[in-house]
Amino acid sequence: AQKVTQAQTEISVVEKEDVTLDCVYETRDTTYYLFWYKQPPSGELVFLIRRNSFDEQNEISGRYSWNFQKSTSSFNFTITASQVVDSAVYFCALSFYNAGNMLTFGGGTRLMVKP
Amino acid sequence: EPEVTQTPSHQVTQMGQEVILRCVPISNHLYFYWYRQILGQKVEFLVSFYNNEISEKSEIFDDQFSVERPDGSNFTLKIRSTKLEDSAMYFCASWGGQGNTGELFFGEGSRLTVL
């Protein structure tokens, strides 16, 4: 069975601080995808990133960066110089590409960025 | 950019009534999904649909639920006799299938309130 754990339920930072959201996953499969989604107060799910299990390179996209470490089964997400617009719930998720790509979501981390 | 559209955005119903939530997936996609998010909780997989039949379903997806692709474009979720605990945001998603990227495209959600 697969499982995604986001231990931080809520994080509060002041604007311009860096913040890291943790994600730990469990799976027996060797081929899988990891995702991060953002859910702003309006409620939609906004895709941020997808990594496959064979690609452990870290990725940077503007103020966002992701650290994938298979050795610790973690896929952490860092926002540099946070802004108020980053306030949202962030979900980490896991899927098995060859099994119909169903997503298993973590419980989410609510990030509040204060001005 | 192609997108998944859902209607209605919000529906209020009385307990015991039937509800149909509608989704128009991306036109050349092959896999369709419904996910549910009870307020303040994580996003949970309900069902996946491929080749005109259910390919996977979770334990949440009991006999009260059904899905259908009545024509070439719509994908519907029916709840036969709604219960208070069915109140949630329901997300439709679609995927292009093998040979495509692993990204699921989500709709903006349909909020169901059962009174």
Side-chain angles (χ1 to χ4, degrees):
Chain A
Q2 56 272 18
K3 186 178 176 184
V4 177
T5 302
Q6 295 179 253
Q8 305 147 309
T9 53
E10 208 165 283
I11 300 176
S12 181
V13 299
V14 176
E15 211 170 16
K16 297 183 184 168
E17 283 185 18
D18 298 348
V19 59
T20 295
L21 310 182
D22 297 333
C23 173
V24 173
Y25 62 92
E26 294 174 31
T27 176
R28 291 183 187 151
D29 284 72
T30 56
T31 304
Y32 51 89
Y33 280 88
L34 292 162
F35 299 77
W36 275 95
Y37 282 87
K38 174 182 180 180
Q39 187 174 45
S42 47
E44 72 271 25
L45 289 168
V46 178
F47 169 81
L48 294 178
I49 190 172
R50 180 197 81 255
R51 302 297 288 184
N52 75 48
S53 51
F54 298 111
D55 183 0
E56 284 191 76
Q57 273 197 327
N58 292 331
E59 182 156 338
I60 298 175
S61 175
R63 295 185 297 106
Y64 295 170
S65 62
W66 291 269
N67 184 323
F68 175 28
Q69 296 208 346
K70 260 175 127 166
S71 59
T72 55
S73 296
S74 65
F75 185 45
N76 296 338
F77 171 34
T78 298
I79 302 174
T80 302
S82 58
Q83 299 175 2
V84 173
V85 293
D86 296 327
S87 297
V89 180
Y90 291 86
F91 290 98
C92 181
L94 172 70
S95 80
F96 300 93
Y97 187 91
N98 293 328
N101 207 14
M102 295 169 294
L103 290 173
T104 297
F105 283 83
T109 297
R110 180 177 299 278
L111 174 65
M112 290 176 291
V113 182
K114 298 176 183 173
Chain B
E1 186 176 310
E3 59 179 17
V4 175
T5 57
Q6 290 185 240
T7 54
S9 55
H10 188 192
Q11 181 158 354
V12 181
T13 191
Q14 295 289 328
M15 193 168 58
Q17 295 295 303
E18 176 182 284
V19 159
I20 297 176
L21 305 179
R22 291 184 167 81
C23 170
V24 179
I26 294 172
S27 63
N28 60 349
H29 280 189
L30 302 175
Y31 288 79
F32 314 112
Y33 312 82
W34 284 100
Y35 286 80
R36 178 183 84 173
Q37 184 184 30
I38 295 171
L39 185 65
Q41 298 186 23
K42 69 177 178 181
V43 181
E44 301 172 290
F45 168 74
L46 289 179
V47 65
S48 61
F49 193 85
Y50 171 71
N51 202 25
N52 283 319
E53 59 184 28
I54 291 174
S55 49
E56 297 284 343
K57 61 182 181 178
S58 71
E59 59 222 23
I60 303 169
F61 194 86
D62 61 22
D63 292 343
Q64 295 290 338
F65 292 92
S66 62
V67 288
E68 197 175 39
R69 190 154 160 83
D71 53 44
S73 59
N74 289 284
F75 177 52
T76 61
L77 174 69
K78 183 194 288 187
I79 308 174
R80 240 179 296 280
S81 177
T82 49
K83 298 175 275 204
L84 295 176
E85 53 265 37
D86 294 327
S87 295
M89 179 78 96
Y90 289 82
F91 291 101
C92 175
S94 71
W95 177 48
Q98 303 279 358
N100 287 268
T101 71
E103 179 186 349
L104 261 68
F105 290 81
F106 281 88
E108 293 197 341
S110 293
R111 182 170 298 284
L112 175 64
T113 302
V114 182
L115 302 176

